[in-house]
C-alpha cells in the first residue's frame, strides 16, 4: 500500500513540475524594468564618441565624424512588445563633434573621414568635351553623383554640356578660369580669377559655388586664403587616375583599386580611357565602398 502511495505522490509531483515549466516558458524573458535596465547598460557599451575635425600634417583639413549614442526611450519602444533585448532594434542618435570643418583655419581638403566607407569622384574639366556625355551616361546608369570642377572658359564655350551636368544633379565646383597656374598668381589676380569663374558657373546652377580645385594641384597659401575669403573650400585628391597620360584601361583600374581607402577622393578627367573604364571601375569600387558626392563625403554624418 505504501508503495502505491509513493507512486501516486511521484505522479502528482511530476505533473506539477510540468505545469510550472509550461507556465514559465510562456512568461516574458524580461519585465519592463529589467528591459529598460538592460538597454541602459547596453547603451554604455554601444556609445561611440564623436571625432573632431582637425588639421593633419599631411592631409591638412580633415573632417570630423558624429558620435553615436543609444536613444533609450525609442529603443525601448521598439523592444517592449517582445519584452526582450534585441540589438537589431536599437535606435541611435548622432552626437556632433565640438570642432567642425568650418571651425578650422583655411587649408586644403584632400580626403574625407577615415571612419566612413565612402569615396568620391573629382572630375576636373578644362577639355575633353567629347567624352562627357558618355561619362554622364555611366554615372546615371549607376545612380552616382560626382563632382565636376569646371574651368570658367570651358563653361562659356560648352554651355549645353555644363547644363547637362547640372541637370543630372552633380556637384559643380570651380577649376579657375583658363587653367592658370595659381601658384604664380598674387592675391588680387587670384581673387579676380575665382570671382570671374564663380559668376559664370553660378549662372548655370543658381547656387553658390562652394568648392575649388586648383588646376594641376598647383597652389600657395595665397590661393587657399583667397578661396576661403570667397567661402570656398580648396579641394585636392588622395587617389589619382593619371588618366591624362593615357594609360590602358587595366592600368587605370588597378591604379585606383589598389590605393582605395575610406574617404578617398579619386581624381579623373574627361578622357577616352576614363570614359571606357568608368563602368567597370564603379562596379569594382561598389563591392567595398559607397560612391557619394563631395558634400556627403566630408559631412560629419555617418
Amino acid at each position: 500500500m505504501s508503495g502505491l502511495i509513493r507512486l501516486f505522490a511521484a505522479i502528482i509531483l511530476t505533473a506539477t513540475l510540468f505545469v510550472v515549466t509550461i507556465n514559465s516558458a510562456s512568461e516574458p524573458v524580461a519585465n519592463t524594468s529589467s528591459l529598460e535596465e538592460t538597454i541602459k547598460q547596453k547603451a554604455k557599451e554601444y556609445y561611440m564618441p564623436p571625432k573632431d575635425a582637425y588639421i593633419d600634417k599631411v592631409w591638412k583639413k580633415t573632417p570630423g565624424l558624429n558620435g553615436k549614442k543609444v536613444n533609450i526611450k525609442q529603443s525601448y519602444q521598439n523592444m517592449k512588445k517582445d519584452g526582450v533585448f534585441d540589438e537589431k532594434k536599437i535606435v541611435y542618435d548622432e552626437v556632433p563633434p565640438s570642432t567642425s570643418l568650418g571651425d578650422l583655419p583655411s587649408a586644403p581638403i584632400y580626403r574625407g573621414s577615415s571612419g566612413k566607407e565612402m569615396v568620391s569622384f573629382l572630375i576636373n574639366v578644362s577639355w575633353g568635351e567629347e567624352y562627357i556625355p558618355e561619362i554622364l551616361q555611366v554615372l546615371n546608369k549607376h545612380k552616382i553623383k560626382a563632382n565636376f570642377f569646371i574651368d570658367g572658359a570651358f563653361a562659356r564655350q560648352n554651355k549645353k554640356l555644363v547644363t547637362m551636368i547640372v541637370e543630372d544633379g552633380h556637384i559643380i565646383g570651380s577649376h579657375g578660369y583658363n587653367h592658370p597656374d595659381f601658384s604664380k598668381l598674387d592675391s588680387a589676380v587670384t581673387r579676380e580669377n575665382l570671382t570671374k569663374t564663380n559668376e559664370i558657373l553660378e549662372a548655370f546652377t543658381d547656387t553658390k559655388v562652394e568648392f575649388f580645385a586648383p588646376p594641376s594641384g598647383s597652389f600657395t597659401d595665397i590661393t587657399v586664403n583667397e578661396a576661403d575669403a570667397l567661402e570656398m573650400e580648396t579641394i585636392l585628391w588622395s587617389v589619382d587616375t593619371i588618366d591624362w597620360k593615357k594609360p590602358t584601361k587595366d592600368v587605370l583600374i588597378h591604379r585606383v583599386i589598389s590605393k582605395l581607402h575610406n574617404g578617398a577622393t579619386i581624381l579623373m578627367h574627361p578622357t577616352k580611357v576614363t570614359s571606357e573604364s568608368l563602368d567597370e571601375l564603379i562596379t569594382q569600387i561598389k563591392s567595398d565602398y559607397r560612391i557619394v558626392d563631395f558634400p556627403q563625403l566630408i559631412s560629419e554624418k555617418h
Side-chain angles (χ1 to χ4, degrees):
M1 189 69 177
S2 62
L4 289 174
I5 293 173
R6 285 196 297 271
L7 177 62
F8 183 69
I11 292 172
I12 292 175
L13 178 61
T14 302
T16 302
L17 291 173
F18 178 75
V19 171
V20 169
T21 302
I22 293 297
N23 288 340
S24 298
S26 65
E27 292 177 358
V29 174
N31 58 34
T32 298
S33 59
S34 63
L35 176 58
E36 286 180 327
E37 285 303 315
T38 299
I39 294 173
K40 288 178 182 178
Q41 289 299 319
K42 292 292 185 180
K44 298 175 183 178
E45 299 176 20
Y46 292 127
Y47 175 71
M48 179 187 299
K51 296 180 180 179
D52 286 340
Y54 64 99
I55 302 291
D56 186 81
K57 291 182 179 180
V58 176
W59 301 110
K60 304 304 179 185
K61 218 171 186 179
T62 304
L65 189 63
N66 285 349
K68 292 168 65 178
K69 67 176 181 179
V70 174
N71 185 313
I72 295 173
K73 183 177 180 180
Q74 290 186 26
S75 297
Y76 171 71
Q77 291 299 320
N78 280 359
M79 300 179 202
K80 71 174 184 177
K81 181 179 178 181
D82 295 329
V84 294
F85 180 82
D86 186 346
E87 183 178 7
K88 296 178 181 178
K89 295 181 180 179
I90 293 177
V91 178
Y92 290 97
D93 291 330
E94 295 205 3
V95 183
S98 301
T99 304
S100 299
L101 276 179
D103 300 321
L104 300 176
S106 60
I109 301 175
Y110 284 82
R111 58 191 293 176
S113 170
S114 62
K116 296 168 72 170
E117 294 179 342
M118 300 179 181
V119 302
S120 196
F121 291 149
L122 313 181
I123 305 174
N124 288 353
V125 182
S126 289
W127 33 261
E129 58 270 17
E130 65 269 36
Y131 302 112
I132 291 177
E134 184 177 353
I135 289 174
L136 290 175
Q137 185 177 2
V138 175
L139 292 172
N140 285 336
K141 171 187 172 182
H142 290 275
K143 299 180 180 180
I144 287 171
K145 302 304 180 187
N147 313 277
F148 287 81
F149 296 88
I150 302 176
D151 187 305
F154 179 95
R156 273 188 169 172
Q157 297 166 7
N158 298 274
K159 294 181 179 180
K160 288 184 178 180
L161 283 178
V162 177
T163 299
M164 287 172 59
I165 295 170
V166 172
E167 289 179 346
D168 281 355
H170 301 290
I171 301 298
I172 302 297
S174 168
H175 200 43
Y177 191 90
N178 212 23
H179 209 271
D181 182 347
F182 276 92
S183 69
K184 297 180 180 179
L185 305 184
D186 62 23
S187 295
V189 176
T190 296
R191 179 169 291 213
E192 180 183 3
N193 189 292
L194 294 177
T195 302
K196 181 178 183 179
T197 305
N198 285 356
E199 290 173 353
I200 294 170
L201 297 178
E202 288 169 5
F204 288 95
T205 63
D206 288 328
T207 57
K208 180 173 173 49
V209 175
E210 298 181 0
F211 305 109
F212 160 63
S216 305
S218 182
F219 67 94
T220 64
D221 288 343
I222 289 174
T223 315
V224 179
N225 291 335
E226 289 299 332
D228 183 68
L230 294 171
E231 299 180 334
M232 290 193 295
E233 298 284 5
T234 300
I235 311 304
L236 280 301
W237 62 88
S238 64
V239 178
D240 193 352
T241 60
I242 319 180
D243 51 4
W244 55 275
K245 283 193 173 183
K246 301 179 180 180
T248 65
K249 176 180 174 180
D250 289 343
V251 167
L252 185 148
I253 292 174
H254 178 265
R255 181 177 287 157
V256 173
I257 297 300
S258 64
K259 296 179 180 179
L260 281 182
H261 56 83
N262 285 1
T265 49
I266 304 165
L267 177 64
M268 56 184 65
H269 304 81
T271 63
K272 185 175 186 293
V273 65
T274 293
S275 65
E276 293 174 347
S277 305
L278 192 57
D279 185 65
E280 184 176 339
L281 178 63
I282 289 172
T283 299
Q284 291 196 33
I285 292 174
K286 286 171 71 175
S287 65
D288 294 305
Y289 299 91
R290 285 180 60 200
I291 304 173
V292 300
D293 63 29
F294 196 73
Q296 191 172 354
L297 186 76
I298 63 172
S299 166
E300 293 162 352
K301 295 181 180 179
H302 286 270

